[in-house]
Amino acid sequence: MRIKVNFSKNTSDVPNNNNVVLEYIHRCLGRDNEYHDKISAYNISHLYGGEINSHDPKSLNYPNGGYIIVSSMDNTFMGKILVGLLNNPIMSHGMKFRNYDHMNEEFMNGWNHFSVLSPFIIKEIYGKNNYGFLTLDGEYKRVEEKWVVEKKENYDFENVVKEHLINKLKKINPSLDLSGFNVKIDELDRSGVRHNKHKVKKVYVNNILNFANQCQLSIQCNRKVAELLYNIGIGQSTGAGFGTVYKTENHCDYRNNYVKIETEKTRIMSEVG
């Protein structure tokens, strides 16, 4: 299940990081919720629909409102989110919950083509406080308090993503059919034009720097696996604003910055009882 949660415009500058969304989601789920600090069987996106302020590039403005994407195969989790939205109508910086829209997308056996909405991260852990980020450019490592990128001769990012997803899926459900599973980073779009938005992005969460990947990718799998990845997200920290993907054919549904106002809150009441 996936919903697009819509908010009204802000009344003060919004920090250009995902802390605002994370604090709000935890508020919706309630104190000491069972989902905090556990492996996420759900996916929360960044807050979209904004523009960088000219007077302060570290803050955003949402003149037409903003939205986040919330996805999960866990109906109990989604029910708690919906109730939490009603009980917490004010998110932050004057932005208020307006409504939500169901997002319905189709999956197939074979190749499913995805665009990355919220960039995804894959960490390589070496020890306590010692880790690197595997990216499109290579591996980012911290050397003498500075981050440097290293790309070995045999570095294959497609295989990195493939192996990571296979391990993640097996942990979630060992009985999944992963025969023929494959990942391809799409260098060209369907019209044969080279993508110019494939890049590594610096994303801060609680003042901690992450190197995340923004790209389009195709995943060969069965329909059940494709839907699961869509709902839990790609990569790590999917419950903290990373790894939201959508089917490329539905691009317009996710790049619309305007908040729809026709949905009534009473719809939530009927669905969560």
Side-chain angles (χ1 to χ4, degrees):
M1 179 180 178
R2 169 169 290 189
I3 58 173
K4 179 182 180 184
V5 184
N6 300 309
F7 300 95
S8 64
K9 67 180 182 179
N10 57 307
T11 57
S12 62
D13 293 346
V14 180
N16 191 6
N17 60 57
N18 212 39
N19 294 347
V20 169
V21 172
L22 299 183
E23 290 171 2
Y24 181 65
I25 291 297
H26 288 309
R27 202 182 336 138
C28 288
L29 291 172
R31 287 187 176 182
D32 303 319
N33 70 79
E34 61 186 288
Y35 304 99
H36 188 57
D37 292 332
K38 291 184 178 180
I39 296 176
S40 302
Y42 59 92
N43 184 213
I44 308 293
S45 76
H46 291 310
L47 178 63
Y48 288 102
E51 55 190 31
I52 297 176
N53 281 315
S54 57
H55 62 274
D56 179 12
K58 292 184 178 181
S59 69
L60 299 170
N61 184 41
Y62 293 82
N64 298 304
Y67 71 88
I68 60 174
I69 301 297
V70 181
S71 311
S72 179
M73 301 288 280
D74 185 341
N75 290 331
T76 299
F77 170 84
M78 295 300 291
K80 289 182 177 180
I81 286 290
L82 295 176
V83 171
L85 292 172
L86 274 181
N87 293 333
N88 299 274
I90 299 177
M91 182 174 65
S92 184
H93 298 81
M95 300 184 75
K96 299 178 181 179
F97 167 64
R98 297 293 300 271
N99 51 64
Y100 79 95
D101 300 299
H102 275 294
M103 308 298 287
N104 297 310
E105 302 187 51
E106 296 184 359
F107 308 94
M108 60 189 68
N109 295 321
W111 288 100
N112 289 269
H113 306 287
F114 293 102
S115 288
V116 174
L117 182 67
S118 296
F120 66 93
I121 59 173
I122 299 179
K123 281 185 178 181
E124 185 73 31
I125 307 297
Y126 299 107
K128 186 177 181 180
N129 297 322
N130 183 14
Y131 56 88
F133 291 93
L134 303 178
T135 75
L136 290 156
D137 294 341
E139 182 176 1
Y140 280 84
K141 295 181 177 180
R142 195 161 39 193
V143 179
E144 296 180 353
E145 303 304 318
K146 292 184 179 181
W147 287 97
V148 297
V149 62
E150 175 186 89
K151 189 167 186 177
K152 298 179 180 178
E153 186 175 345
N154 60 348
Y155 184 78
D156 183 351
F157 186 63
E158 287 183 342
N159 192 59
V160 167
V161 177
K162 174 183 174 180
E163 293 302 317
H164 171 79
L165 292 180
I166 288 175
N167 290 334
K168 181 175 182 175
L169 290 165
K170 285 182 176 179
K171 289 179 181 179
I172 293 174
N173 184 355
S175 66
L176 284 173
D177 177 12
L178 298 177
S179 57
F181 187 90
N182 202 6
V183 174
K184 180 176 176 57
I185 305 298
D186 298 326
E187 296 296 332
L188 305 176
D189 64 20
R190 290 186 176 182
S191 63
V193 177
R194 184 170 297 278
H195 291 298
N196 59 5
K197 294 183 179 180
H198 286 198
K199 56 187 172 182
V200 176
K201 301 183 71 173
K202 294 180 180 180
V203 182
Y204 284 89
V205 177
N206 293 325
N207 295 319
I208 297 176
L209 177 62
N210 298 267
F211 291 88
N213 303 283
Q214 189 88 44
C215 62
Q216 297 203 36
L217 66 163
S218 295
I219 300 177
Q220 186 177 35
C221 57
N222 61 55
R223 183 184 293 109
K224 182 178 180 180
V225 171
E227 184 177 8
L228 178 58
L229 287 173
Y230 167 86
N231 278 286
I232 64 174
I234 302 292
Q236 297 160 309
S237 299
T238 55
F242 293 95
T244 303
V245 298
Y246 62 90
K247 297 296 292 294
T248 55
E249 61 264 29
N250 300 316
H251 178 80
C252 292
D253 294 335
Y254 291 86
R255 294 305 180 184
N256 178 8
N257 291 343
Y258 295 92
V259 175
K260 298 179 181 179
I261 62 174
E262 68 270 19
T263 308
E264 298 295 336
K265 288 184 181 180
T266 52
R267 187 170 69 184
I268 296 181
M269 298 297 290
S270 65
E271 293 194 9
V272 300

